[in-house]
Amino acid sequence: MTAKALSALSSVIDPELRLPITELGMVGEIQEEPNSVKVVIKLTIVGCPAAQSIERDVNEALAAKFKHVEVVMTTMSQEERAGLTKKLRGDRPAKFNPFVEKDNLTKVIFVSSGKGGVGKSTLTVNLAVALAGLGQKVGLLDADIFGYSVPQLMGVNQAPTKVDHLMLPPIAHEVKLISIGFFVSDNQPVAWRGPMLHRAVEQFLTDVFWGDLDFLLVDLPPGTGDVAISLGQLLPKAQSLVVTTPQHTAAIVAERSGAIGLQTGQSVLGVIENMSYLPSENGPIEIFGAGGGEAVAKRLSELSGSEVQVLGKIPLSQGLRESADKALPIVISNPQDTAAIEIVKIVKKLIATPRGLSGKSLKITPS
Ligand code: ADP
């Protein structure tokens, strides 16, 4: 008789895999009596970082139903682990990119910009966290290989747990994260060229346990380099979100980053104008000028042959900058900030927008 113990244990969720431990083969032998229980819990790997929290949750769940509880923590055998990774992959082969499957429903969004410093990463992080806050299952892939900043912005600096060849992405503010920054020590620069870059981003898709996501946001490097092209090939159903400032010079370069997406087959989801204005008592002050967002949207509409809209304008915000420095996205730390309010408005549009259509024909002639 193990029903009472199993029902209690089914409420314990593995913090990395976000699934009940009863579904992960983590529950071993159970000795159940009316008032007492002894269970064996099998962790995925030796030194599992979630060991303590799992042990605590198991004890709490069982203590709610039994007077005497004994929990023995151990580790899965090699075969058990192989069985688990097979199950997590859904019986698909290793090295499989789930986002290209026909029935995959994840909205994949590339966040791109022409040049650096326009707030692309800060916005990507806030968009991801705001999406998760609205109940969406979100992954964030930091593909800005040379200028990775997602680990700092999300306050995570731990390598993913590896279960055989499957990487379990760290989770912060309910967003699953992967970044090259998790694999390099001491802020080392990454000096890679084309094929290595391609392999790295490919592994981020094939070797990471993303699970069923509603959204995968991809923080692209600024500009139109190798990574953007590789990812365009690896994620053909992605749509791109182009970030620009209102400044004319920024807009001109941002157009190019949207255009490269069109060339690799992505449709443009929209444009976000960041640092649009500085709110003041006497009305908005347009520090970086005006019109950049509209200019990019107009040009990308012409190039794509379908209407591209400015999805939102984010003001300059000291709070946004300060909260980014503290690794606490402003949509969480101060949701009343105008920048946070504007970000959440954009996120609601993203949720309402249908997924990109693969193979959609685009009126564009690569030059
Ligand atoms: P990118 O990813 O485009 O290189 P970042 O996200 O790193 O840009 O942002 C560049 C700098 O601008 C950071 O210091 C960030 O905190 C700041 N920043 C971004 N957006 C805003 C904004 N709306 N208001 C104030 N500071 C901002």
Side-chain angles (χ1 to χ4, degrees):
M1 246 203 7
T2 56
K4 197 159 81 159
L6 275 175
S7 118
L9 291 169
S10 67
S11 69
V12 178
I13 307 294
D14 180 282
E16 290 178 301
L17 293 162
R18 298 295 161 114
L19 290 167
I21 58 168
T22 43
E23 286 178 26
L24 296 170
M26 291 172 69
V27 178
E29 195 192 340
I30 301 178
Q31 292 168 25
E32 180 177 320
E33 303 289 336
N35 284 323
S36 69
V37 67
K38 179 177 176 183
V39 296
V40 174
I41 299 295
K42 296 183 276 188
L43 298 169
T44 49
I45 52 160
V46 180
C48 169
Q52 275 187 345
S53 77
I54 295 175
E55 187 172 0
R56 186 199 55 221
D57 292 352
V58 165
N59 270 295
E60 278 176 13
L62 293 173
K65 298 209 175 170
F66 298 91
K67 223 165 160 197
H68 304 288
V69 174
E70 189 181 345
V71 179
V72 179
M73 302 297 283
T74 165
T75 313
M76 286 182 177
S77 67
Q78 181 60 38
E79 295 79 59
E80 286 168 336
R81 221 175 1 255
L84 171 63
T85 52
K86 192 161 174 252
K87 187 171 180 184
L88 293 175
R89 287 186 193 281
D91 281 335
R92 289 182 292 249
K95 300 283 166 199
F96 183 85
N97 171 2
F99 301 103
V100 294
E101 274 197 318
K102 273 210 169 63
D103 56 357
N104 185 285
L105 298 177
T106 306
K107 289 183 188 173
V108 180
I109 300 181
F110 288 174
V111 188
S112 69
S113 68
K115 60 195 193 87
V118 299
K120 171 182 55 65
S121 297
T122 310
L123 287 185
T124 310
V125 159
N126 274 284
L127 291 170
V129 172
L131 279 165
L134 290 174
Q136 302 290 305
K137 287 184 257 88
V138 188
L140 169 48
L141 193 165
D142 182 1
D144 195 346
I145 303 281
F146 304 117
Y148 59 88
S149 59
V150 167
Q152 292 88 325
L153 290 168
M154 291 292 256
V156 175
N157 198 5
Q158 77 183 69
T161 306
K162 268 187 104 179
V163 180
D164 288 347
H165 294 294
L166 202 58
M167 289 186 265
L168 310 186
I171 300 174
H173 309 301
E174 294 307 308
V175 175
K176 290 183 172 176
L177 305 171
I178 207 80
S179 168
I180 200 75
F182 297 151
F183 304 91
V184 296
S185 51
D186 299 332
N187 202 24
Q188 289 292 309
V190 180
W192 290 349
R193 299 171 79 168
M196 271 183 89
L197 290 173
H198 184 86
R199 227 170 300 133
V201 289
E202 189 171 29
Q203 282 191 349
F204 284 169
L205 299 172
T206 58
D207 295 4
V208 172
F209 174 64
W210 291 108
D212 290 329
L213 296 180
D214 295 310
F215 282 90
L216 177 68
L217 298 196
V218 182
D219 185 12
L220 285 189
T224 53
D226 287 353
V227 173
I229 296 167
S230 283
L231 275 165
Q233 291 164 353
L234 292 163
L235 294 166
K237 283 192 248 180
Q239 295 177 289
S240 56
L241 201 52
V242 181
V243 181
T244 183
T245 65
Q247 204 170 358
H248 178 66
T249 46
I252 299 268
V253 227
E255 278 173 29
R256 273 183 242 142
S257 80
I260 192 82
L262 289 172
Q263 289 188 14
T264 48
Q266 288 90 53
S267 52
V268 183
L269 188 54
V271 174
I272 300 181
E273 191 183 88
N274 189 27
M275 310 187 183
S276 287
Y277 57 93
L278 182 69
S280 85
E281 282 173 10
N282 302 321
I285 306 170
E286 292 174 334
I287 293 189
F288 291 116
E294 282 86 0
V296 176
K298 182 164 176 276
R299 182 72 184 127
L300 293 177
S301 299
E302 286 162 9
L303 283 175
S304 66
S306 50
E307 198 195 342
V308 173
Q309 290 183 346
V310 178
L311 295 181
K313 295 189 175 191
I314 319 290
L316 277 160
S317 155
Q318 189 173 344
L320 184 142
R321 202 270 305 149
E322 284 172 354
S323 65
D325 288 346
K326 289 186 203 143
L328 258 185
I330 192 141
V331 290
I332 290 182
S333 63
N334 184 8
Q336 300 313 320
D337 186 284
T338 319
I341 291 170
E342 293 304 319
I343 290 168
V344 171
K345 279 190 201 161
I346 295 172
V347 156
K348 289 184 177 160
K349 290 183 189 171
L350 298 183
I351 294 173
T353 309
R355 278 180 308 282
L357 301 170
S358 61
K360 190 176 156 190
S361 84
L362 297 160
K363 292 179 199 158
I364 175 152
T365 325
S367 51

